[in-house]
């Protein structure tokens, strides 16, 4: 009969987990050896840090919409995992992190109660859906089932399973696999007022002539993309998204682009010109202090459809009407009851997108879009953080790519893309492109070494502007001109990636931002590859939005002839 950790592995396999990532330690040995017994079905991988291992598990979860699993040792192993666990919590990624303990760290006023250990609940409580500290075999199966169920159901997120080592060491405690009923995770969903508000929204839609959907990744998390697309065709309502959700439905012609201060012109202008906004699967996190967003929202009817009641407690702009509803329920209601179509407005939106398609580009976006097009159509693209991610978004839009694009969203962790890419590559087996800035790469060199050592089919596209570009831009905006700690000669260290690649036996190609010689790159190469794109340090981001400008007025301002064309389209 299987022992307790064997039982956990069985449950993970039942949930289609094929790869588990982590760093070994005394407190998780029983679990690891149980996984190894099932290596026909589920494999262990150990990256060079807990940070990277848990990010690999996150990547594996994001690509398959499946449960990600990681193991870390107690104490420092767990604290090293704090950033990726927080990331999974913010971005609703289903994740189980297994750890262990021999003695529980008590609460006291003392600074430390036990060497090499922490009070897990105090530190991780606020950034997990739940922590399961398992100290007894009574209800063990029930707790494991509930833990997995909690991670994947409702609004997904991370849970920690902290196993008592005496319990898992004791091989005589076994599970009979009588699959005890899972206790269902209780969602925060509550129907109060939902129907009244949907009635009101439908009334407002009848009065509206230019409604727009603003969507976000919640559509993906709730598995509602197809449903949404099916209905949206009936509604004829144009769609814009948050930047990090730009890959939700690249094939759909009614998708205009992503909004924001660094958003695409067409999406921003359409938002400005709309008279009603329906926010769906998106967190509506507009800074209350932002003049631009206040101007945008103040003359419109705005509904925010959100599943998680806790999310709705956030203080938002006064115009936003909060509707607590499941997305599928909301979409079905609107689909069944809306007796109006917005075809003219949808045509106007598409025409505006058409004439603005080339307004958001420039160096290095044009070359990036060529490189991305040149690489495999099926590649999964993983983004890092910094100016490079904003260029990547523009390049993705310019090249009309349809690839899956994984962004670092709410927590925006610099240097997380390579580890996530490793998780995607190992689980998904497809070619991965990790797009990263030089500072981001410097902080994930151990992941580069791992990719090289494992000969993973990953291309690393380095946007090397020899500076921490986003922070340098911020310094300038604050009036600090020196480039302290962010540019060469000012404390910032630039590495020679060509030499690093050569020593790691990674295929290496260099292009400068005005060098469109794509045939320098060995396209068919299967294995670790670096493309270093050299970008002058002083190229800054475009378009931008100075504080207070309406979203339509990004800089550089549009040519008068284009503005006139937009007005003509809107008058049709
Ligand atoms: C772990 C972490 N540390 C610091 C930051 C703050 N940060 C955001 S962007 C950035 C600069 C990134 O520089 P680089 O990777 O060279 O990209 P670039 O902006 O030049 O494209 C920093 C330090 C962060 N997001 N995450």
């Amino acid at each position: 009969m299987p022992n307790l950790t064997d039982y956990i592995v069985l449950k993970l396999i039942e949930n289609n987990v094929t790869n588990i990532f982590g760093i070994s330690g005394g407190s998780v040995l029983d679990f690891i050896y149980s996984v190894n017994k099932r290596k026909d079905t589920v494999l262990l991988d150990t990256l060079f840090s807990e940070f990277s291992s848990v990010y690999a598990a996150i990547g594996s979860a994001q690509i398959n919409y499946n449960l990600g699993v990681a193991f870390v040792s107690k104490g420092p192993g767990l604290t090293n995992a704090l950033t990726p666990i927080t990331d999974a919590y913010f971005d609703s990624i289903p994740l189980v992190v297994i750890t262990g303990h021999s003695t529980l760290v008590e609460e006291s006023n003392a600074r430390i109660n036990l060497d090499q250990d922490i009070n897990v609940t105090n530190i991780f409580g606020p950034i997990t859906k739940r922590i399961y500290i398992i100290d007894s075999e009574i209800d063990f199966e029930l707790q494991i089932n509930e833990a997995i169920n909690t991670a994947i159901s409702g609004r997904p997120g991370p849970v920690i399973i902290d196993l008592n080592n005496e319990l898992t060491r004791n091989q005589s405690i076994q599970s009979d696999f009588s699959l005890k009923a899972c206790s269902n995770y209780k969602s925060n969903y509550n129907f109060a007022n939902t129907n009244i508000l949907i009635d009101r929204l439908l009334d407002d839609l009848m009065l509206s002539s230019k409604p727009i959907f603003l969507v976000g990744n919640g559509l993906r998390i709730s598995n509602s993309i197809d449903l949404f697309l099916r209905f949206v065709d009936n509604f004829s309502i144009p769609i814009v998204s948050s930047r990090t959700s730009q890959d939700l439905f690249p094939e759909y012609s009614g998708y205009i682009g992503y909004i924001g201060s660094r958003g695409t012109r067409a999406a921003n202008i359409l938002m400005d010109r709309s008279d009603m906004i329906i926010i769906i699967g998106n967190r509506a996190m507009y800074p209350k202090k932002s003049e631009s967003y206040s101007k945008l929202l103040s003359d419109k009817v705005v509904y925010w459809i959100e599943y998680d009641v806790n999310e709705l407690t956030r203080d938002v702009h006064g115009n936003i009407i909060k509707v607590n509803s499941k997305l599928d329920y909301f979409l079905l209601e609107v689909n069944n009851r809306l007796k109006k179509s917005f075809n003219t407005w949808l045509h106007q939106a598409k025409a505006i997108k058409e004439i603005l398609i080339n307004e958001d580009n420039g160096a290095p976006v044009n070359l990036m879009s060529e490189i991305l097009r040149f690489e495999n159509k099926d590649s999964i693209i993983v983004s890092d953080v910094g100016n490079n991610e904003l260029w990547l978004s523009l390049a993705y839009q310019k090249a009309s790519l349809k690839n899956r694009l994984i962004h670092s969203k709410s927590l925006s962790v610099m240097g997380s893309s390579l580890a996530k890419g490793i998780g995607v590559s190992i689980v998904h087996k497809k070619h991965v492109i990790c797009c990263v800035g030089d500072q981001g790469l410097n902080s994930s060199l151990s992941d580069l070494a791992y990719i090289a050592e494992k000969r993973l089919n990953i291309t690393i596209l380095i946007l090397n502007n020899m500076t921490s570009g986003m922070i340098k831009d911020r310094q300038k905006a604050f009036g600090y001109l020196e480039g302290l700690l962010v540019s060469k000669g000012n404390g910032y260290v630039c590495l020679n990636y060509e030499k690093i690649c050569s020593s790691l036996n990674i295929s290496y190609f260099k292009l400068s931002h005005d060098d469109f010689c794509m045939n320098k790159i060995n396209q068919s190469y299967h294995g670790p590859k670096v493309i270093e794109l050299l970008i002058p340090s002083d190229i800054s981001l475009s378009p931008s939005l100075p504080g207070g400008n309406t979203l339509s007025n990004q800089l550089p301002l549009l040519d008068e002839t284009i503005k006139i064309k937009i007005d003509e389209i809107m008058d049709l």
Side-chain angles (χ1 to χ4, degrees), residues 51 83 384-391 408 411-416 436-443 463-473 486 492 497 535 541:
F51 174 95
T83 301
D384 210 83
V385 181
N387 285 356
N388 56 87
E389 64 171 316
L390 302 167
W391 283 321
S408 183
L411 197 63
S412 286
V413 181
M414 181 181 71
S416 57
V436 63
D438 41 305
Q439 192 174 33
L441 183 62
N442 294 351
S443 66
L463 294 177
N464 188 0
N465 49 4
M466 303 222 189
T467 176
S468 170
M470 182 170 268
I471 308 305
K472 196 167 123 190
D473 287 351
V486 299
Y492 182 76
Y497 299 123
I535 301 166
L541 284 165

Side-chain angles (χ1 to χ4, degrees), residues 246-281:
Q246 69 183 122
D247 68 327
L248 281 178
F249 18 70
E251 313 260 11
Y252 183 65
S253 66
Y255 173 67
I256 306 301
Y258 54 91
I259 64 149
S261 56
R262 302 293 188 182
T264 56
R265 306 259 188 181
N268 278 341
I269 289 174
L270 262 289
M271 273 282 272
D272 254 357
R273 303 256 177 158
S274 67
D275 58 10
M276 177 169 176
I277 302 173
I278 303 172
I279 303 171
I280 169 163

